[in-house]
Amino acid sequence: MAAQYVRSRLAQPHLQRYTLVFKNGELLRHQDPLALAQYQQDARLASVQMETYSD
């Protein structure tokens, strides 16, 4: 599995994480890009929010 790294303010690599929001109000927090790809075509998915790091 390939990891996607983005730069942080401290110049340390972090794996980008996402919160998946479903139409029934359920949240799946801290999901990696692979999980996002698996849920992206799911009809129950309402939106995707990119998580930010506050160091």
Side-chain angles (χ1 to χ4, degrees), residues 13-42:
H14 290 286
L15 182 62
Q16 183 60 55
R17 298 292 181 172
Y18 301 90
T19 297
L20 308 179
V21 181
F22 291 90
K23 292 177 182 175
N24 67 357
E26 182 180 349
L27 299 176
L28 285 178
R29 296 185 188 274
H30 314 303
Q31 300 301 305
D32 62 7
L34 180 60
L36 173 61
Q38 291 173 334
Y39 280 104
Q40 206 158 16
Q41 297 301 317
D42 193 324

